[in-house]
Amino acid sequence: MLDTVKKRNIRHLSLQELEGYFAEMGQPKFRAKQVYEWLWQKKARTFNDMTNLSLTLRAGLSEAFSLPALRVDASQFSSDGTVKSRFKTHDGHLVEGVLIPTEERQTACVSSQIGCSLSCKFCATGYMGRKRNLDYDEIYDEVVLLNQQAEATYGKKLSNIVFMGMGEPLLNYRNVLAAIERIGAPDGLGMSPRRITVSTAGVAKMIKQLGDDKVRFKLALSLHAPNDQKRSEIMPINETNNLKALIEALNYFYKETGNEITLEYILFNNFNDSLKDAEELVKVYRQIPADLVNIIEYNPIEAARFTKPPEATIEQFMDYLSANRVNARLRKSRGKDIDAACGQLANKAS
Ligand code: SF4
């Protein structure tokens, strides 16, 4: 463990830096490419996996660098096919990732931080506080491990990735973007950024930054309430990033990138599920270039007071949206028989 902390993480080196290392060792340039491929494309977990390098070179690398990798600590299999995994980091932290299979897709839901600082009142992770950001190689590992699960369980590769697990991706901006770059790179996983959605609780300044950076992935806003008063009650971040600021930022993002925007709205019983709420939601929707509103069934957690509305209320809410030409879809909660709400599994001791 000490070695891992002291030595430089080899996956934090660029290809050019690796070339510099091998040049110093008097080795040909192509060695750097070989190692880079092992690290990102061939998903080596240890230096010993790099079988086209001599034992001496492998020993030299292990002497000079660390290769900390995420590993699966526990998995739960739901009767609906959802697989939730708890991953352990090299320094003993726990984070979660979920594999959500449907007929057409294998979607990985990944975490961006260990815990979260935003304290949303309905979310198990929000009650943990933030421990630290995940590095981009750790986020990459989550995707690799979930892809392996998809292949082993369903014989299919991942088709989509959503950053909807633990943490606020836009508060770990640099690592999330670097991970997405590696996931999309031909010498990484080669997955199109169009198949990736980053979901934010609403950090207006960073949404604009995404626009300035001309990112190619999709964006989802966790709206969850139709006005500032209700939103601030369940999402403290709304006090500094209100709906006006978010609407402006999302319009800017769309103008700069043209990328798809989705609004996420969890229905909470007797809180945001009335026809008046639906009416206000339509008003917000009209001000945002959103393609879709996902109405999400709540998966209750012990720490929160919220419950799911009765079916008739959900139906009435959906009917109102449809009558007002909102492109809305009802998302049924997955993995109800396991701890599939974000933060539930990592919060549990094994
Ligand atoms: S919902 Fe997302 S942003 Fe809010 S506390 Fe949970 S992990 Fe953090």
Side-chain angles (χ1 to χ4, degrees), residues 151-220:
E151 285 181 328
T153 317
Y154 297 104
K156 293 179 189 165
K157 285 186 189 308
L158 287 181
S159 58
N160 298 75
I161 301 170
V162 294
F163 281 77
M164 293 186 183
M166 299 167 79
E168 165 52 53
L170 300 190
L171 293 182
N172 186 14
Y173 192 86
R174 192 181 51 80
N175 281 307
V176 166
L177 261 63
I180 291 175
E181 188 277 321
R182 290 280 81 221
I183 291 164
D187 61 1
L189 294 178
M191 259 182 94
S192 163
R194 303 267 172 222
R195 297 186 164 273
I196 299 176
T197 303
V198 169
S199 174
T200 177
V203 190
K205 187 175 151 205
M206 302 318 289
I207 293 173
K208 285 188 175 170
Q209 187 64 50
L210 291 173
D212 288 337
D213 288 338
K214 304 277 188 287
V215 298
R216 291 168 56 221
F217 48 80
K218 301 178 198 172
L219 188 62

Side-chain angles (χ1 to χ4, degrees), residues 112-113 115-128 164-169 171 199-202 222 224 234-237 266 342-343:
S112 55
Q113 297 181 307
C116 185
S117 58
L118 296 188
S119 306
C120 300
K121 298 288 180 281
F122 49 84
C123 166
T125 307
Y127 289 87
M128 291 171 69
M164 293 186 183
M166 299 167 79
E168 165 52 53
L171 293 182
S199 174
T200 177
S222 297
H224 303 331
I234 55 169
M235 300 177 77
I237 192 178
I266 304 176
C342 163

Side-chain angles (χ1 to χ4, degrees), residues 9 53 118 131 221 235 313 346:
N9 178 344
L53 299 187
L118 296 188
K131 308 279 192 303
L221 173 73
M235 300 177 77
T313 310

